[in-house]
Amino acid sequence: MDTNQDVAAIDSHRALQIWITENLKMLPLPERAHGNFFEECCYVILHVPQSPKATRGGSGDLHYWIGKEASAESQGAAVTFLQRLQEALGDGTVLHRESQGHESDCFHSYFRPGVIYRKGGQASALKHVGTNMYNVQRLLHIRGRKHVSATEVALSWNSFNKGGIFLLDLGKVLIQWNGPKTCISEKSRALTLTCSLRDRERGGRAQIGVVDDEKKATDLMHIMEAVLGCRKGSLSASAPISSVSQQQKANVRLYHVCEKGTDLVVQELATRPLTQDLLKEEGCYLLDQGGFKIYMWQGRKSSPQDKKAAFNRAVGFIQAKGYPNYTNVEVVNEGAESTAFQQLFQMWSEERDGKKHKGKTPHADKLMQAKPDMGKLHTQPELAAQLRMVDDGSGKVEVWCIQDLQRQPVDPRHHGQLCSGNCYLALYTYQKLGRVRYILYLWQGHQTTIEDTNALNLNAEELDLMYQGALVQEHVTMGREPPHFLAIFQGQLVVFQGCAGNRGERPPTSSPRLFHVQGTDSHNTRTMEVQARASSLISSDIFFLVTADICYLWFGKSCSGDQRERARVVAAVFPGNDMETVLEGQEPPDFWEALGGRAPYPSNKRLPEVSGIQPRLFECSSPSGCLVLTEVVFFGQEDLDKYDVMLLDTCQEIFLWLGEAAGGWKEAVAWGHEYLRTHPAGRSLDTPIALVKQGYEPATFTRWFASWDPYKWTNNQSYEEVVEGSLRPGAAISEITAEVHNFQLTRRPSDNKAGPSTLPASKGSQDCLEKDLELGLSADGKDPSISSSTGSCCSSVANGSLPRERLMHQAVEDLPQGVDPARKEFYLSDSDFQDIFGKSKEEFYSMAKWKQQQEKKKLGFF
């Protein structure tokens, strides 16, 4: 293997890069296949954070993932590749060994909303990279709380249990079946994964159905029984989920590992609490965290032979102790320790013996430039990948606002002026190597409705059809805009609270409004409206206070010259008002009057350094009476869910965050005390514990997040509302039912499932005898060919041979019995259909849905 070639590949890729085994070689996995793992394969995953703040001391994480059916040869090839990558990256990289179904929290944090375990090997894996794939028939078992996974299981009712969530994936139809013993938070997270699968693998075109109560979801149950057969007997009870409690994780032991002659000596040095001075720079050490995880620490003066043998020594220790072979292994070098490792010790300092060890290589430093030259994006692909910028944003921009479910063009004068109550489409056109390229950004405000989101996706699909599928679509959430999105508006992105006026115009200024400016350049500046009160100010940043008569440009005393320069550019967004510059400490009385009076505010929102250790965020649960924590690495505000109880450890203080739908505060506080009592580092029980409720977060809590939007949960929807929105009641159910009643369904012979595949008759034809139904899905995404039916009393309906006059321009109540009003055209004979529509049924159903509706309206079949 050419090591230099590997480094070049890393330079030109994004933060997350994955390789998969093939014929004892490692091949890069396309980004659209990320999150899918095949059990006969091994994978190598490299994650290089975008900013130094996220590195947790090192320059990246390198994971070695083993599928449960992977061969020894595949494992060997992956380990060899891993070692060569490590040599290329340097000692700043943290190594991880992951086993299917037992991955680390760090691993799961890359793949949101979850990972999917699939049967098969490399050939299946590289084939499974396209979207709009409908030739699918599988059953997935979804499990997990904060870190969700879906495992492909046998396509049979025998795979189901009362406490599980299962997804029947039929290509164009996705049915999520929720067991009667599942909780609402599990259902909600599973539905997020289901929606993600629909969007990533089906281009958003598949229909989703949710079964919470089988008696109320008869149509969906008919579909399931058509595929799985009739269920016999009762469902089995759910198997208990094994989880590691905090008490178990608190049991830490440190061992010194060295060679004496031909023997390997592992000597126990200390137990909890551990101190950093036990680690010597010339030595190698093994830290056993309760059999749950094994750390190998290597001093900067340890030999290359010791470093190369780290994984094998950890595996040998696991076998000697009788621990499960899936036990996690993490290998760290001095100066590049992960935060999780550092917090196993009482105190941790980045500086020892007067030296600061960061463990970064020149290669890593090059990837993390503080002031990149934007003019070099075309000549330096690694810089473009690092900044997530295809160019400098100087191309053509078109913007539409979604209003009344339609897209309305926004006047170029108002480009970049978005409202939190709306969705927007921004089409960016640029040239690369002489070819015209497109990026379509789908921006969603935090106060938008489900209908707005659905309309956004439908309008994006229409634009994609107009551009013959040439658009690269990128979904953008308010407050999390990527650098290139900010750059296309030249750093003048301003988000107003409320809804836009006609043609996307910003809402009028009816009362004092306060805007927070963050950024130093065109590709990192955004301006967000915040609550107009003094406590929203921050000394390190810049704010606009807009009143009916005047606009104050307020400079915090700690802001930089670059921030001031960028704020003056943003000032052009607020014309018509007299602009007055105000320095912190020199505000006129009218300034404070507009904010409702003086009030304390933070002096600095930037993340404070506390003993060189970054804060950590955990989800709390107590499935068996003991506290279980699941860490969210590289966290943000989007990781706080209304059903969660989250614990934020900032070293000096413990925050417990309660979602509005979570349990009581007394239990949460008790979890905080248990966390301190069982902490491996022996934390002081006097550490302050703060209880924070959703929507009432103080600045002392929010400052630990890279960005914070106080309006994020204004339009927070319940699980039930999300289900209703994803199904689009009435139309979606009827369409799924029509799929079942009108299309032939084909089972994969490899499934080898026994059992009936009949479906009860539809409500419109209860007395009809229908033929056995099987689900068939075409690989090209078109509707399957329509099968004939031999029902006795409604054969003309089922066979599609009703006279045209009984279908055209007919009200619902005047239609023949058994006709689906949403698909009247289906019941025409093939010859009548061709004569009326000028095309075959197959050609018609391969068209976009909106085009079908237009033709049906024009011809009297809507």
Side-chain angles (χ1 to χ4, degrees), residues 203-260:
R205 295 175 175 86
Q207 295 287 320
I208 293 178
V210 178
V211 178
D212 275 320
D213 185 339
E214 293 184 354
K215 294 181 180 179
K216 296 180 179 179
T218 54
D219 288 334
L220 297 177
M221 288 303 298
H222 287 170
I223 300 174
M224 296 184 69
E225 289 173 353
V227 178
L228 303 171
C230 294
R231 189 171 66 211
K232 297 179 180 180
S234 59
L235 294 170
S236 62
S238 57
I241 300 176
S242 60
S243 54
V244 182
S245 68
Q246 284 305 108
Q247 187 66 50
Q248 183 178 345
K249 293 180 182 179
N251 182 22
V252 293
R253 295 178 181 271
L254 184 67
Y255 298 84
H256 180 236
V257 181
C258 62
E259 289 185 354
K260 287 188 177 180

Side-chain angles (χ1 to χ4, degrees), residues 509-674:
T509 304
S510 57
S511 59
R513 308 183 77 159
L514 186 64
F515 296 86
H516 182 192
V517 185
Q518 293 176 288
T520 58
D521 212 331
S522 63
H523 66 279
N524 64 14
T525 299
R526 63 171 59 84
T527 302
M528 310 285 287
E529 183 174 358
V530 296
Q531 292 173 303
R533 59 189 184 189
S535 59
S536 297
L537 299 173
I538 302 169
S539 292
S540 59
D541 287 329
I542 296 173
F543 291 79
F544 285 98
L545 176 59
V546 182
T547 68
D549 304 316
I550 194 169
C551 178
Y552 294 101
L553 176 55
W554 185 85
F555 290 144
K557 60 186 178 183
S558 301
C559 67
S560 67
D562 288 339
Q563 288 177 283
R564 293 190 184 100
E565 182 180 347
R566 182 48 49 185
R568 292 188 177 97
V569 174
V570 177
V573 177
F574 303 101
N577 298 76
D578 293 332
M579 185 70 64
E580 180 178 334
T581 300
V582 176
L583 302 180
E584 183 178 5
Q586 302 178 22
E587 301 87 353
D590 290 345
F591 178 88
W592 295 116
E593 183 179 346
L595 292 176
R598 294 177 180 267
Y601 56 84
S603 60
N604 195 332
K605 191 183 178 179
R606 295 184 179 91
L607 299 182
E609 297 286 350
V610 181
S611 302
I613 295 181
Q614 296 292 318
R616 301 176 71 188
L617 183 70
F618 302 88
E619 182 208 31
C620 303
S621 62
S622 182
S624 57
C626 296
L627 176 62
V628 174
L629 296 182
T630 302
E631 184 173 8
V632 181
V633 188
F634 315 114
F635 62 84
Q637 186 183 1
E638 64 274 10
D639 294 306
L640 305 177
D641 188 271
K642 63 186 291 184
Y643 303 107
D644 289 338
V645 175
M646 305 295 290
L647 187 149
L648 178 66
D649 182 1
T650 67
C651 295
Q652 294 181 335
E653 188 172 11
I654 302 296
F655 290 94
L656 283 156
W657 182 90
L658 266 67
E660 63 181 15
W665 64 271
K666 290 185 178 180
E667 185 179 43
V669 172
W671 284 344
H673 288 296
E674 184 177 351

Side-chain angles (χ1 to χ4, degrees), residues 34 111-116 167 174 189-204 208:
H34 288 185
F111 305 104
R112 297 169 181 167
V115 298
I116 299 177
L167 177 63
L174 300 168
R189 286 162 184 165
L191 183 58
T192 302
L193 179 61
T194 299
C195 293
S196 174
L197 191 151
R198 172 199 62 189
D199 295 339
R200 288 188 296 127
E201 296 191 11
R202 312 294 146 76
I208 293 178

